[in-house]
Amino acid sequence: MTITIKWKGSVRTEKNEEPTRFHACRETGRHPDLSLIMTAMAFVILLCAVISVISAAGTDIYTGVLLNGEQLGVVERPAVMEDAVSRVLKSLSDKDTDAVDFRISYSFRSAKESSLLDSDDCYALLNSYLSANFTEACALSIGGERIANLSDEYTARTLVSRLRREYGSLLSEGTDFTLLANSGYESVYCPKQSVSDTERVYETLMARCRASLGIADEDTTDLIEVNDGAKRASYSSERIYYYGSSFGGDVLKNASHLNESSDEVERMFSKVPEECTETVTETATELIPYPTETIETSDYYVGVTVIGTEGAAGIAEITYEVTTVSGKEVSRTETGRTVLSEPVPCVQYVGTRPYPSSTPSGYWIYPLASYNYISSEFGWREDPFTGEWRYHSGMDFAAYAWTPIYAVDGGTVISAGWDSSYGINCVIDHGFGLTVRYAHMVALGDGVYAGAKVYQGMQVGSVGMTGRATGYHLHFEVQLWGTVTNPLDYLPK
């Protein structure tokens, strides 16, 4: 089995590849192009900067998983998928899996597009992929040469017996079956499309048998000479529709009294072979979709949906009765189903509480619900970076990273974004000439952008240390008609 794991954009290296530009230059004694190296270094620096900005902006990075180029879903980290692959490999340890090829690749996602897949989900998806694309078969070998993959060993042995019978009817007495010697039957796990049509394999091998006896497949009216040197009757091979069947040998043995225009030859060689109908049992592992239960609650505002219980797909082992005609599937009927694991319903809560008014009330609340420790007050202080005596235009609340920050009153967002000193921050007009800057955040809250309306208690961001900061805290800066003022004059006592 081949497991190829790569990141999106990387190149999979196979044996006997052409050397890269750098290797080629080294082999010829020339140095690599300096401009290419400088360009590559610039690209790496730019990529690192982009990732740093994304991380600084508080954007969650998720891992998208692709199987053979097809999107499977999103996992928390690549190790989740790799654990599922290990479990699949262990379950297939008793099979010849050289033909199985998982081409797994990953890509960065800046936002979660759907529910995260866990190891069990990935395991079930990989098993579904195997069931849909691979099957157990029998590899038939003759004389040490692998001829084809057939549906099962019974079919392969029946084919060889049929070949021996038909080939033997063409040989003179005492001749050995050297062409069909040393037949081998090996159980393999291979792609479904690699399982050959039994009749096509038979016709190919029978053509080789005929060729070994000097029986040409092209149109000819020459006398055909078999290995015992005897001459047979003259006939046109174009007239033979299915030479080598149970009636073909009999015609050759008794052909001395027939000629090309014989009605008996016309009748016997115009017979159409019977269709080969087979019915087999297949077992596949499939996912059972999980239901979603929606509960309305006034605990959340209108438009807010909170997942209470993550849903998980169940797994079922399904048995099918598959009927094929001449190797082509004509029907598939489910005959049994065993539930290996029940699906877990997804419970989500949908808010019904109306939003508070965004009109400023003039009565403020604290911006942090749990942490109101003031680590640096408003006014003159020693600068933590330079040690110089500088004026501090706000006050700092120390708190853990990602602590929610709430609007102290209703209002309108004046600006929201990045600043080299304040980091991720927003400025909100809370009415009565008062504006507040919430700074050094790790991320802005949902719906916080210039022009947006906010209500008292709405989350406008999360505590961080972006910009010019030495630790996690909220810089809370109040201005009255454009002039900074002490925030404690407006916060509850």
Side-chain angles (χ1 to χ4, degrees), residues 468-483:
R468 195 171 183 268
T470 58
Y472 291 104
H473 71 281
L474 165 66
H475 175 80
F476 187 77
E477 180 179 312
V478 179
Q479 293 188 11
L480 176 63
W481 302 114
T483 301

Side-chain angles (χ1 to χ4, degrees), residues 120 123-125 127-128 131 282-289 312-320 334 336-343:
D120 291 337
Y123 177 75
L125 289 171
N127 274 322
S128 295
S131 299
E282 291 185 4
T283 301
T285 302
E286 299 181 6
L287 294 179
I288 305 174
I315 303 176
E317 187 176 78
I318 304 175
T319 303
Y320 294 99
E334 181 179 329
R337 176 184 291 260
T338 301
V339 177
L340 304 181
S341 63
E342 294 287 350

Side-chain angles (χ1 to χ4, degrees), residues 25-331:
C25 292
R26 182 174 57 185
E27 292 171 0
T28 57
R30 294 181 291 132
H31 293 291
D33 192 337
L34 183 58
S35 64
L36 290 177
I37 297 178
M38 296 300 293
T39 301
M41 292 177 63
F43 175 76
V44 172
I45 294 173
L46 177 61
L47 179 60
C48 293
V50 170
I51 294 177
S52 298
V53 171
I54 291 176
S55 299
T59 302
D60 292 333
I61 300 298
Y62 295 91
T63 303
V65 181
L66 299 93
L67 175 59
N68 295 344
E70 295 293 332
Q71 181 71 40
L72 281 186
V74 180
V75 296
E76 185 176 2
R77 58 189 184 279
V80 175
M81 187 63 182
E82 292 164 12
D83 175 66
V85 171
S86 299
R87 292 166 59 189
V88 172
L89 292 178
K90 186 176 181 180
S91 68
L92 298 176
S93 59
D94 60 336
K95 296 182 175 67
D96 178 0
T97 56
D98 290 341
V100 178
D101 187 2
F102 286 147
R103 291 185 177 89
I104 298 173
S105 57
Y106 302 103
S107 63
F108 288 116
R109 301 282 180 181
S110 60
K112 185 170 65 171
E113 299 175 354
S114 59
S115 298
L116 290 175
L117 300 176
D118 58 20
S119 180
D120 291 337
D121 296 330
C122 294
Y123 177 75
L125 289 171
L126 290 176
N127 274 322
S128 295
Y129 169 78
L130 288 174
S131 299
N133 296 279
F134 294 86
T135 185
E136 293 187 10
C138 177
L140 171 63
S141 300
I142 296 180
E145 176 189 358
R146 177 171 288 192
I147 301 301
N149 294 330
L150 296 172
S151 58
D152 50 51
E153 185 173 341
Y154 174 79
T155 301
R157 290 185 179 277
T158 301
L159 174 66
V160 172
S161 298
R162 181 180 171 190
L163 283 168
R164 288 178 179 274
R165 182 178 67 252
E166 304 301 336
Y167 183 44
S169 67
L170 304 178
L171 298 174
S172 58
E173 295 183 2
T175 305
D176 294 331
F177 287 91
T178 56
L179 194 66
L180 299 177
N182 302 323
S183 300
Y185 310 92
E186 180 184 2
S187 177
V188 296
Y189 197 66
C190 62
K192 289 184 177 181
Q193 62 268 26
S194 70
V195 178
S196 304
D197 176 69
T198 307
E199 289 302 316
R200 186 179 296 275
V201 175
Y202 173 82
E203 292 171 4
T204 301
L205 292 178
M206 200 59 205
R208 292 173 61 176
C209 291
R210 294 199 303 270
S212 70
L213 300 179
I215 303 175
D217 285 333
E218 290 79 19
D219 292 347
T220 177
T221 55
D222 297 335
L223 290 177
I224 295 178
E225 188 175 287
V226 292
N227 58 342
D228 61 358
K231 302 295 181 179
R232 302 301 185 188
S234 174
Y235 66 92
S236 172
S237 62
E238 187 178 17
R239 301 275 297 281
I240 301 177
Y241 180 83
Y242 186 60
Y243 183 78
S245 64
S246 59
F247 54 81
D250 295 334
V251 171
L252 267 185
K253 290 178 181 178
N254 301 287
S256 58
H257 69 282
L258 302 175
N259 55 50
E260 191 174 11
S261 61
S262 170
D263 292 338
E264 185 177 356
V265 172
E266 178 71 25
R267 176 178 55 80
M268 297 186 71
F269 281 120
S270 62
K271 293 175 64 178
V272 178
E274 296 181 358
E275 293 182 330
C276 178
T277 301
E278 294 181 316
T279 300
V280 297
T281 300
E282 291 185 4
T283 301
T285 302
E286 299 181 6
L287 294 179
I288 305 174
Y290 61 80
T292 299
E293 181 182 356
T294 301
I295 301 175
E296 294 185 346
T297 175
S298 60
D299 292 341
Y300 305 105
Y301 291 112
V302 173
V304 176
T305 300
V306 177
I307 301 298
T309 303
E310 290 282 355
I315 303 176
E317 187 176 78
I318 304 175
T319 303
Y320 294 99
E321 187 177 86
V322 183
T323 301
T324 61
V325 176
S326 298
K328 296 182 179 180
E329 183 177 320
V330 295
S331 68

